[in-house]
mmCIF file of all heavy atoms in Angstrom:
data_model
loop_
_atom_site.group_PDB
_atom_site.id
_atom_site.type_symbol
_atom_site.label_atom_id
_atom_site.label_comp_id
_atom_site.label_asym_id
_atom_site.label_seq_id
_atom_site.Cartn_x
_atom_site.Cartn_y
_atom_site.Cartn_z
ATOM 1 N N GLU A 144 79.234 66.876 -73.343
ATOM 2 C CA GLU A 144 80.221 67.957 -73.344
ATOM 3 C C GLU A 144 81.213 67.770 -74.508
ATOM 4 O O GLU A 144 81.522 68.709 -75.239
ATOM 5 C CB GLU A 144 80.966 67.937 -72.006
ATOM 6 C CG GLU A 144 81.734 69.220 -71.734
ATOM 7 C CD GLU A 144 82.467 69.125 -70.389
ATOM 8 O OE1 GLU A 144 81.870 68.569 -69.433
ATOM 9 O OE2 GLU A 144 83.615 69.589 -70.321
ATOM 10 N N ALA A 145 81.670 66.541 -74.675
ATOM 11 C CA ALA A 145 82.637 66.256 -75.751
ATOM 12 C C ALA A 145 81.997 66.511 -77.117
ATOM 13 O O ALA A 145 82.621 67.054 -78.035
ATOM 14 C CB ALA A 145 83.121 64.811 -75.651
ATOM 15 N N ILE A 146 80.730 66.136 -77.226
ATOM 16 C CA ILE A 146 80.063 66.328 -78.527
ATOM 17 C C ILE A 146 79.931 67.818 -78.832
ATOM 18 O O ILE A 146 80.215 68.266 -79.937
ATOM 19 C CB ILE A 146 78.724 65.563 -78.563
ATOM 20 C CG1 ILE A 146 79.047 64.074 -78.741
ATOM 21 C CG2 ILE A 146 77.826 66.077 -79.700
ATOM 22 C CD1 ILE A 146 77.907 63.123 -78.621
ATOM 23 N N LEU A 147 79.529 68.623 -77.856
ATOM 24 C CA LEU A 147 79.427 70.081 -78.085
ATOM 25 C C LEU A 147 80.791 70.655 -78.489
ATOM 26 O O LEU A 147 80.886 71.492 -79.387
ATOM 27 C CB LEU A 147 78.919 70.793 -76.823
ATOM 28 C CG LEU A 147 77.407 70.675 -76.560
ATOM 29 C CD1 LEU A 147 77.056 71.244 -75.185
ATOM 30 C CD2 LEU A 147 76.605 71.396 -77.647
ATOM 31 N N ARG A 148 81.848 70.178 -77.843
ATOM 32 C CA ARG A 148 83.190 70.684 -78.154
ATOM 33 C C ARG A 148 83.556 70.334 -79.608
ATOM 34 O O ARG A 148 84.121 71.139 -80.333
ATOM 35 C CB ARG A 148 84.198 70.077 -77.175
ATOM 36 C CG ARG A 148 85.552 70.802 -77.178
ATOM 37 C CD ARG A 148 86.446 70.414 -75.998
ATOM 38 N NE ARG A 148 86.763 68.990 -75.983
ATOM 39 C CZ ARG A 148 86.343 68.124 -75.051
ATOM 40 N NH1 ARG A 148 85.596 68.533 -74.039
ATOM 41 N NH2 ARG A 148 86.688 66.849 -75.109
ATOM 42 N N HIS A 149 83.189 69.125 -80.047
ATOM 43 C CA HIS A 149 83.545 68.707 -81.413
ATOM 44 C C HIS A 149 82.670 69.383 -82.473
ATOM 45 O O HIS A 149 83.106 69.567 -83.606
ATOM 46 C CB HIS A 149 83.513 67.181 -81.541
ATOM 47 C CG HIS A 149 84.720 66.541 -80.921
ATOM 48 N ND1 HIS A 149 84.766 66.190 -79.593
ATOM 49 C CD2 HIS A 149 85.943 66.244 -81.440
ATOM 50 C CE1 HIS A 149 85.950 65.675 -79.318
ATOM 51 N NE2 HIS A 149 86.693 65.697 -80.421
ATOM 52 N N VAL A 150 81.435 69.746 -82.080
ATOM 53 C CA VAL A 150 80.604 70.524 -83.009
ATOM 54 C C VAL A 150 81.304 71.868 -83.276
ATOM 55 O O VAL A 150 81.434 72.316 -84.424
ATOM 56 C CB VAL A 150 79.178 70.726 -82.437
ATOM 57 C CG1 VAL A 150 78.425 71.785 -83.247
ATOM 58 C CG2 VAL A 150 78.406 69.395 -82.460
ATOM 59 N N SER A 151 81.808 72.513 -82.207
ATOM 60 C CA SER A 151 82.538 73.778 -82.385
ATOM 61 C C SER A 151 83.771 73.577 -83.262
ATOM 62 O O SER A 151 84.102 74.424 -84.091
ATOM 63 C CB SER A 151 82.997 74.334 -81.033
ATOM 64 O OG SER A 151 81.884 74.763 -80.293
ATOM 65 N N ARG A 152 84.446 72.452 -83.076
ATOM 66 C CA ARG A 152 85.632 72.173 -83.896
ATOM 67 C C ARG A 152 85.272 72.050 -85.379
ATOM 68 O O ARG A 152 86.025 72.476 -86.239
ATOM 69 C CB ARG A 152 86.284 70.867 -83.446
ATOM 70 C CG ARG A 152 87.190 71.076 -82.278
ATOM 71 C CD ARG A 152 88.085 69.856 -82.140
ATOM 72 N NE ARG A 152 88.833 69.942 -80.902
ATOM 73 C CZ ARG A 152 89.436 68.915 -80.336
ATOM 74 N NH1 ARG A 152 89.363 67.727 -80.890
ATOM 75 N NH2 ARG A 152 90.109 69.071 -79.228
ATOM 76 N N CYS A 153 84.126 71.405 -85.637
ATOM 77 C CA CYS A 153 83.679 71.279 -87.037
ATOM 78 C C CYS A 153 83.403 72.659 -87.639
ATOM 79 O O CYS A 153 83.776 72.934 -88.777
ATOM 80 C CB CYS A 153 82.425 70.416 -87.135
ATOM 81 S SG CYS A 153 82.777 68.655 -86.987
ATOM 82 N N TRP A 154 82.741 73.509 -86.862
ATOM 83 C CA TRP A 154 82.503 74.877 -87.360
ATOM 84 C C TRP A 154 83.833 75.539 -87.708
ATOM 85 O O TRP A 154 83.992 76.151 -88.749
ATOM 86 C CB TRP A 154 81.783 75.707 -86.288
ATOM 87 C CG TRP A 154 80.354 75.334 -86.079
ATOM 88 C CD1 TRP A 154 79.508 74.790 -86.989
ATOM 89 C CD2 TRP A 154 79.602 75.491 -84.855
ATOM 90 N NE1 TRP A 154 78.272 74.580 -86.424
ATOM 91 C CE2 TRP A 154 78.291 75.010 -85.119
ATOM 92 C CE3 TRP A 154 79.903 75.988 -83.580
ATOM 93 C CZ2 TRP A 154 77.281 75.017 -84.149
ATOM 94 C CZ3 TRP A 154 78.899 75.999 -82.616
ATOM 95 C CH2 TRP A 154 77.600 75.512 -82.896
ATOM 96 N N ALA A 155 84.794 75.377 -86.795
ATOM 97 C CA ALA A 155 86.088 76.032 -86.985
ATOM 98 C C ALA A 155 86.838 75.464 -88.191
ATOM 99 O O ALA A 155 87.604 76.172 -88.850
ATOM 100 C CB ALA A 155 86.924 75.881 -85.719
ATOM 101 N N SER A 156 86.572 74.176 -88.524
ATOM 102 C CA SER A 156 87.338 73.539 -89.603
ATOM 103 C C SER A 156 87.053 74.165 -90.969
ATOM 104 O O SER A 156 87.723 73.874 -91.954
ATOM 105 C CB SER A 156 87.056 72.038 -89.655
ATOM 106 O OG SER A 156 85.765 71.805 -90.182
ATOM 107 N N LEU A 157 86.042 75.039 -91.007
ATOM 108 C CA LEU A 157 85.775 75.774 -92.248
ATOM 109 C C LEU A 157 86.951 76.702 -92.580
ATOM 110 O O LEU A 157 87.094 77.175 -93.701
ATOM 111 C CB LEU A 157 84.500 76.602 -92.029
ATOM 112 C CG LEU A 157 83.673 77.024 -93.227
ATOM 113 C CD1 LEU A 157 83.406 75.871 -94.153
ATOM 114 C CD2 LEU A 157 82.363 77.621 -92.774
ATOM 115 N N PHE A 158 87.818 76.945 -91.590
ATOM 116 C CA PHE A 158 88.909 77.905 -91.792
ATOM 117 C C PHE A 158 90.288 77.262 -91.644
ATOM 118 O O PHE A 158 91.242 77.918 -91.287
ATOM 119 C CB PHE A 158 88.732 79.103 -90.838
ATOM 120 C CG PHE A 158 87.461 79.843 -91.146
ATOM 121 C CD1 PHE A 158 86.295 79.596 -90.422
ATOM 122 C CD2 PHE A 158 87.407 80.721 -92.221
ATOM 123 C CE1 PHE A 158 85.105 80.233 -90.760
ATOM 124 C CE2 PHE A 158 86.228 81.361 -92.557
ATOM 125 C CZ PHE A 158 85.072 81.118 -91.828
ATOM 126 N N THR A 159 90.376 75.948 -91.932
ATOM 127 C CA THR A 159 91.717 75.345 -92.012
ATOM 128 C C THR A 159 92.406 75.939 -93.239
ATOM 129 O O THR A 159 91.739 76.387 -94.188
ATOM 130 C CB THR A 159 91.653 73.816 -92.180
ATOM 131 O OG1 THR A 159 90.948 73.532 -93.394
ATOM 132 C CG2 THR A 159 90.974 73.145 -91.000
ATOM 133 N N GLU A 160 93.721 75.903 -93.216
ATOM 134 C CA GLU A 160 94.503 76.477 -94.319
ATOM 135 C C GLU A 160 94.065 75.882 -95.666
ATOM 136 O O GLU A 160 93.853 76.587 -96.655
ATOM 137 C CB GLU A 160 95.984 76.174 -94.061
ATOM 138 C CG GLU A 160 96.922 76.808 -95.065
ATOM 139 C CD GLU A 160 98.367 76.379 -94.813
ATOM 140 O OE1 GLU A 160 98.653 75.715 -93.800
ATOM 141 O OE2 GLU A 160 99.200 76.725 -95.653
ATOM 142 N N ARG A 161 93.879 74.549 -95.664
ATOM 143 C CA ARG A 161 93.537 73.870 -96.918
ATOM 144 C C ARG A 161 92.184 74.334 -97.471
ATOM 145 O O ARG A 161 92.024 74.596 -98.655
ATOM 146 C CB ARG A 161 93.500 72.364 -96.657
ATOM 147 C CG ARG A 161 93.879 71.552 -97.860
ATOM 148 C CD ARG A 161 94.054 70.103 -97.500
ATOM 149 N NE ARG A 161 92.884 69.602 -96.762
ATOM 150 C CZ ARG A 161 92.644 68.307 -96.607
ATOM 151 N NH1 ARG A 161 93.472 67.434 -97.097
ATOM 152 N NH2 ARG A 161 91.590 67.898 -95.945
ATOM 153 N N ALA A 162 91.197 74.419 -96.550
ATOM 154 C CA ALA A 162 89.847 74.809 -96.977
ATOM 155 C C ALA A 162 89.829 76.250 -97.495
ATOM 156 O O ALA A 162 89.171 76.574 -98.484
ATOM 157 C CB ALA A 162 88.869 74.645 -95.819
ATOM 158 N N VAL A 163 90.581 77.130 -96.827
ATOM 159 C CA VAL A 163 90.615 78.545 -97.231
ATOM 160 C C VAL A 163 91.247 78.684 -98.619
ATOM 161 O O VAL A 163 90.709 79.369 -99.509
ATOM 162 C CB VAL A 163 91.404 79.388 -96.202
ATOM 163 C CG1 VAL A 163 91.693 80.787 -96.744
ATOM 164 C CG2 VAL A 163 90.620 79.481 -94.891
ATOM 165 N N ILE A 164 92.380 78.013 -98.822
ATOM 166 C CA ILE A 164 93.072 78.123 -100.121
ATOM 167 C C ILE A 164 92.195 77.543 -101.229
ATOM 168 O O ILE A 164 92.074 78.109 -102.314
ATOM 169 C CB ILE A 164 94.441 77.417 -100.055
ATOM 170 C CG1 ILE A 164 95.382 78.243 -99.162
ATOM 171 C CG2 ILE A 164 95.052 77.265 -101.454
ATOM 172 C CD1 ILE A 164 96.698 77.569 -98.867
ATOM 173 N N TYR A 165 91.525 76.425 -100.933
ATOM 174 C CA TYR A 165 90.642 75.800 -101.927
ATOM 175 C C TYR A 165 89.569 76.800 -102.371
ATOM 176 O O TYR A 165 89.318 76.970 -103.563
ATOM 177 C CB TYR A 165 89.988 74.554 -101.324
ATOM 178 C CG TYR A 165 89.172 73.777 -102.325
ATOM 179 C CD1 TYR A 165 89.746 72.778 -103.094
ATOM 180 C CD2 TYR A 165 87.823 74.055 -102.528
ATOM 181 C CE1 TYR A 165 89.005 72.074 -104.029
ATOM 182 C CE2 TYR A 165 87.074 73.360 -103.457
ATOM 183 C CZ TYR A 165 87.671 72.362 -104.198
ATOM 184 O OH TYR A 165 86.928 71.676 -105.141
#
Side-chain angles (χ1 to χ4, degrees):
E144 196 181 320
I146 285 172
L147 283 172
R148 195 167 60 247
H149 283 88
V150 167
S151 291
R152 277 196 188 163
C153 283
W154 288 332
S156 73
L157 204 49
F158 297 97
T159 60
E160 185 184 353
R161 210 170 51 164
V163 168
I164 289 172
Y165 186 89

